């Protein structure tokens, strides 16, 4: 499989390795596979008993040439990546309301207790694999290839990237976060990783300041050439690829859990709490490959650009609001461009890749200059046929955490991101008229312990509820007594950050 840019005429055929290592195409577009592999119906039978890891191998094999990564190498990358998960199923499917046929797909059993681990554990191993291979081919005395990953975080992404890349050869990581503005638990998760190649920079500024600094580091060509600055952000194709597995695995787990009599007639809808559109995009690819998915539903918080687009055809950038589900606080959804590419290609009349890229490039220019673009009525109609959506307010988020806690016999506790999904699922169940053939799988993207404030706000009124006892896992309790490693950045200043990066790289012996 080769990859192409969503925009250009330049990059029409790049290797998987290049797509992963460079992340973004030279024309600013995102990489997509040359085609989407189609499965024939026999896969439903043949794959139904596979483990998560075996299924990941089958799927990834379709997207990565054997000449780039052999079967044995790919298998061992996958096994290593998911050995860090606490659940044997990696992403277990849990029924929470058998009457309504509502299930949660728990994606938070990785090292940082959030769904980003599913992709970033794999991406870290993949980076290391590519670098090790490149460096092994070097002659003595030639400088080694290194990657210096630089990123900004307001919480979840930083710790998932750190745990994905800790202790990886030839990779160094610098994560910037605003001092005092990430939750104490999330800060601890990042700063208690003491590996030599991990550096957390607490910046005396806001999250926007941190993002700005990172953008400037990327824009400094001389620095970039010297230190090979890289990113592991949500547009990296390897993240989307790794996330496809759990849609297939959820389907097969559901099949096993259903009584025999229901197995031939059920239909499944996936509900996905969305921000940058990476999680649900993997579901779109799974469906396109042939997984029988009845519907994909985008659940947004009050940052609802996707929901507004699907109603109006206008992709209209708004100010970011701070909500109870901060990992979904975005003003544009960066992966949406990939989805849109398919929608445009199928409705532009020509079915032509380059023409599609041109239309999309124009939209992106409109977005950059006017903060908005509008697609054709045909494109909108096709998009509406592929995705449903719903917007959930802060108030409904809290209400849903309470409702599920009260209604489940084991007092199941949702994190606020997951609650946005479940609130949407409950609305769908009602509007679909409680059809018992329909099964709803809502993706659970974080452990509630990571968002104590909102969870406590929802549940502290219940007698017998205790955060320490009912929510906080022992492993996270321990963080508060562990040693930390933090570098303070007193000034929001590019030169200060760059010289700090250089001095830390020197200490690591990388220059
Ligand atoms: C990142 C994240 C999301 C949003 O996923 P996207 O792929 O950006 O749509 C939802 N919930 C949690 C907890 C996250 O960390």
């Amino acid at each position: 499989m080769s990859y192409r840019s969503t925009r250009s005429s330049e990059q029409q055929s790049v290797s998987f390795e290049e797509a992963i290592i460079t992340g973004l195409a030279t024309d600013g577009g995102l990489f997509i596979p040359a085609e989407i592999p189609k499965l024939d119906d026999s896969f439903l039978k043949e794959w139904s008993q596979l483990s998560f890891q075996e299924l990941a191998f089958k799927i990834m094999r379709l997207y990565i040439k054997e000449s780039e990564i052999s079967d044995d190498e790919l298998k061992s990358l996958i096994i290593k990546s998911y050995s860090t998960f606490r659940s044997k199923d990696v992403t277990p499917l849990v029924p929470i309301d058998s009457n309504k046929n509502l299930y949660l797909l728990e994606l938070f059993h990785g090292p940082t207790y959030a769904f980003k681990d599913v992709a970033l554990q794999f991406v870290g191993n993949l980076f290391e694999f590519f670098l090790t291979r490149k460096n092994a081919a070097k002659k003595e005395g030639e400088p080694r290839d290194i990657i210096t990953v630089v990123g900004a975080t307001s919480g979840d992404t930083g710790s998932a990237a750190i745990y994905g890349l800790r202790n990886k050869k030839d990779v160094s990581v610098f994560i910037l976060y605003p001092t005092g503005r990430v939750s104490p638990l999330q800060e601890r998760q990042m700063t208690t990783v003491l590996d030599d190649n991990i550096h957390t920079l607490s910046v005396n500024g806001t999250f926007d300041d941190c993002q700005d600094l990172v953008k400037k580091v990327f824009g400094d060509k001389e620095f970039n050439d010297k230190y090979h600055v890289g990113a592991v952000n949500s547009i990296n194709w390897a993240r989307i690829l790794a996330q496809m597995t759990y849609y297939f695995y959820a389907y097969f787990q559901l099949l096993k859990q259903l009584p025999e009599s229901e197995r031939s007639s059920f239909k499944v809808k996936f509900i996905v709490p969305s921000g940058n559109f990476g999680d649900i995009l993997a579901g779109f690819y799974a469906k396109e490959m042939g997984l029988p998915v009845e519907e994909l539903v985008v659940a947004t918080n009050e940052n609802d650009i996707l929901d507004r687009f699907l109603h109006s055809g206008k992709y209209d950038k708004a100010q970011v609001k701070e909500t109870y589900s901060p990992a979904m606080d975005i003003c544009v959804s960066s992966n949406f461009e990939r989805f849109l590419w398919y929608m445009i290609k199928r409705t532009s009349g020509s079915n032509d890749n380059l023409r599609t890229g041109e239309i999309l490039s124009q939209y992106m220019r409109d977005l950059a200059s006017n903060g908005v673009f509008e697609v054709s009525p045909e494109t909108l109609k096709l998009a509406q046929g592929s995705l449903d959506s719903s917007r959930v307010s802060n108030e409904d988020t809290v209400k849903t955490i309470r409702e599920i806690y009260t209604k489940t016999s084991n007092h199941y506790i949702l994190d606020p991101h997951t609650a946005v999904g479940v609130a949407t699922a409950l609305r769908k169940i009602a509007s679909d008229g409680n059809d018992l053939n329909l099964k709803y799988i809502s993706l659970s993207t974080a452990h509630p312990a990571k968002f104590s404030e909102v969870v406590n706000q929802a549940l502290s009124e219940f007698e017998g509820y205790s955060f320490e006892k009912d929510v906080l896992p022992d492993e996270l309790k321990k963080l508060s007594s562990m040693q930390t490693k933090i570098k303070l950045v007193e000034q929001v200043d590019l030169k200060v950050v760059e010289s700090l990066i250089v001095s830390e790289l020197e200490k690591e012996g990388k220059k």
Side-chain angles (χ1 to χ4, degrees):
M1 179 73 75
S2 68
Y3 289 82
R4 57 164 299 117
S5 165
T6 46
R7 296 189 203 172
S8 78
S9 48
E10 299 158 42
Q11 287 195 298
Q12 290 191 67
S13 179
V14 310
S15 67
F16 177 73
E17 177 169 354
E18 192 178 345
I20 300 316
I21 296 294
T22 56
L24 198 67
T26 46
D27 56 7
L30 312 192
F31 289 115
I32 52 174
E35 61 200 55
I36 302 179
K38 302 281 182 209
L39 300 163
D40 65 56
D41 285 347
S42 62
F43 91 90
L44 280 178
K45 228 181 149 150
E46 283 162 14
W47 289 8
S48 65
Q49 303 302 319
L50 299 183
S51 67
F52 182 96
Q53 289 85 344
E54 290 166 335
L55 210 43
F57 173 76
K58 292 279 188 197
I59 295 162
M60 290 181 184
R61 185 74 287 167
L62 299 171
Y63 288 92
I64 310 168
K65 281 191 200 140
E66 270 186 75
S67 57
E68 287 198 62
I69 304 180
S70 73
D71 279 359
D72 284 349
E73 288 163 340
L74 185 56
K75 276 180 194 161
S76 74
L77 282 171
I78 291 168
I79 296 203
K80 191 172 170 193
S81 301
Y82 298 111
S83 65
T84 53
F85 280 63
R86 294 175 301 278
S87 165
K88 164 181 84 48
D89 281 323
V90 184
T91 59
L93 185 73
V94 180
I96 55 168
D97 185 344
S98 53
N99 284 334
K100 280 182 177 166
N101 300 315
L102 176 57
Y103 296 77
L104 286 177
L105 180 60
E106 292 183 343
L107 304 177
F108 57 73
H109 295 287
T112 75
Y113 291 77
F115 104 95
K116 291 187 173 67
D117 289 330
V118 181
L120 284 168
Q121 287 292 301
F122 178 70
V123 170
N125 288 317
L126 200 56
F127 268 43
E128 184 180 54
F129 172 81
F130 286 139
L131 280 172
T132 304
R133 184 163 67 186
K134 267 197 187 147
N135 286 326
K138 300 223 164 188
K139 297 196 190 71
E140 236 190 84
E142 254 186 286
R144 294 179 74 81
D145 273 14
I146 58 161
I147 296 184
T148 307
V149 169
V150 183
T153 189
S154 56
D156 264 3
T157 321
S159 53
I162 286 171
Y163 274 80
L165 294 167
R166 67 187 294 181
N167 204 19
K168 299 286 181 243
K169 211 166 157 46
D170 301 314
V171 183
S172 298
V173 183
F174 294 83
I175 298 292
L176 284 66
Y177 67 91
T179 307
R181 297 189 202 213
V182 302
S183 82
L185 189 134
Q186 290 191 322
E187 180 172 17
R188 288 249 150 209
Q189 276 188 309
M190 294 190 279
T191 57
T192 52
V193 176
L194 303 178
D195 303 54
D196 286 346
N197 73 326
I198 301 295
H199 311 275
T200 46
L201 312 187
S202 179
V203 177
N204 184 12
T206 63
F207 174 58
D208 284 341
D209 291 332
C210 294
Q211 258 185 326
D212 247 23
L213 283 168
V214 169
K215 269 189 207 150
K216 284 185 184 149
V217 172
F218 274 85
D220 182 345
K221 190 166 178 317
E222 199 184 323
F223 189 84
N224 214 314
D225 286 347
K226 202 160 167 197
Y227 301 105
H228 305 277
V229 180
V232 289
N233 46 29
S234 75
I235 47 110
N236 197 296
W237 171 255
R239 288 180 64 170
I240 310 298
L241 178 59
Q243 287 163 193
M244 289 180 206
T245 309
Y246 51 71
Y247 286 90
F248 285 87
Y249 195 55
Y251 183 89
F252 292 128
Q253 286 182 91
L254 178 61
L255 205 58
K256 282 185 202 158
Q257 291 182 20
L258 288 177
E260 192 84 42
S261 60
E262 290 185 35
R263 284 186 201 163
S264 57
S265 57
F266 80 97
K267 295 197 168 99
V268 58
K269 297 193 174 191
F270 283 97
I271 298 91
V272 188
S274 296
N276 267 323
F277 203 77
D279 198 356
I280 194 165
L281 183 70
F284 170 74
Y285 279 101
K287 188 176 178 194
E288 291 281 319
M289 288 164 76
L291 187 70
V293 176
E294 182 68 13
E295 195 172 39
L296 288 168
V297 187
V298 178
T300 76
N301 64 23
E302 293 175 19
N303 295 290
D304 58 353
I305 185 166
L306 293 169
D307 185 54
R308 285 183 287 117
F309 171 82
L310 286 164
H311 285 102
S312 67
K314 279 196 192 130
Y315 195 73
D316 191 355
K317 209 163 141 176
Q319 280 284 322
V320 187
K321 286 186 203 166
E322 277 186 33
T323 71
Y324 290 170
S325 42
M328 290 152 58
D329 290 348
I330 44 88
C331 61
V332 294
S333 295
S334 42
N335 276 295
F336 194 58
E337 178 168 342
R338 286 189 167 111
F339 171 78
L340 213 47
W341 192 88
Y342 295 99
M343 297 301 113
I344 295 168
K345 183 173 169 182
R346 291 168 193 178
T347 52
S348 62
S350 57
N351 198 32
D352 179 280
N353 288 342
L354 291 183
R355 177 77 194 118
T356 305
E358 280 165 21
I359 297 174
L360 197 47
S361 301
Q362 185 57 49
Y363 287 161
M364 292 304 156
R365 281 195 293 270
D366 291 348
L367 185 67
S369 52
N370 310 326
V372 58
F373 67 79
E374 182 167 10
V375 301
S376 73
E378 296 75 33
T379 304
L380 173 62
K381 199 155 170 249
L382 189 66
Q384 287 168 333
S386 307
L387 294 176
D388 193 11
S389 69
S390 191
R391 168 194 193 272
V392 177
S393 65
N394 280 336
E395 197 189 341
D396 281 347
T397 304
V398 170
K399 243 179 30 205
T400 305
I401 296 174
R402 278 192 198 124
E403 180 176 342
I404 296 300
Y405 181 83
T406 330
K407 281 194 181 160
T408 46
S409 56
N410 61 346
H411 289 314
Y412 194 98
I413 298 172
L414 302 172
D415 104 282
H417 304 77
T418 307
V420 168
V422 171
T424 300
L426 294 173
R427 289 177 195 168
K428 285 297 295 181
I429 291 169
S431 69
D432 287 341
N434 293 304
D435 179 346
L436 288 182
N437 266 324
L438 285 173
K439 310 291 169 196
Y440 300 82
I441 298 180
S442 201
L443 274 53
S444 175
T445 53
H447 190 284
K450 298 194 77 169
F451 300 95
S452 56
E453 230 171 275
V454 181
V455 171
N456 285 336
Q457 180 188 333
L459 300 179
S460 54
E461 70 187 49
F462 290 100
E463 206 173 309
Y465 164 79
S466 149
F467 181 78
E468 301 283 320
K469 180 168 70 60
D470 301 336
V471 184
L472 194 61
D474 287 341
E475 200 185 327
L476 294 181
K477 254 177 227 168
K478 281 188 216 141
L479 289 179
S480 61
S481 58
M482 282 164 65
Q483 195 189 334
T484 60
K485 180 173 94 170
I486 311 174
K487 286 268 173 289
L488 295 174
V489 177
E490 293 292 347
Q491 254 176 306
V492 180
D493 183 288
L494 177 66
K495 290 293 162 229
V496 172
V497 171
E498 285 184 344
S499 61
L500 186 60
I501 292 177
V502 173
S503 81
E504 290 300 309
L505 287 175
E506 278 170 2
K507 278 189 220 158
E508 277 187 58
K510 296 172 185 160
K511 275 194 279 184

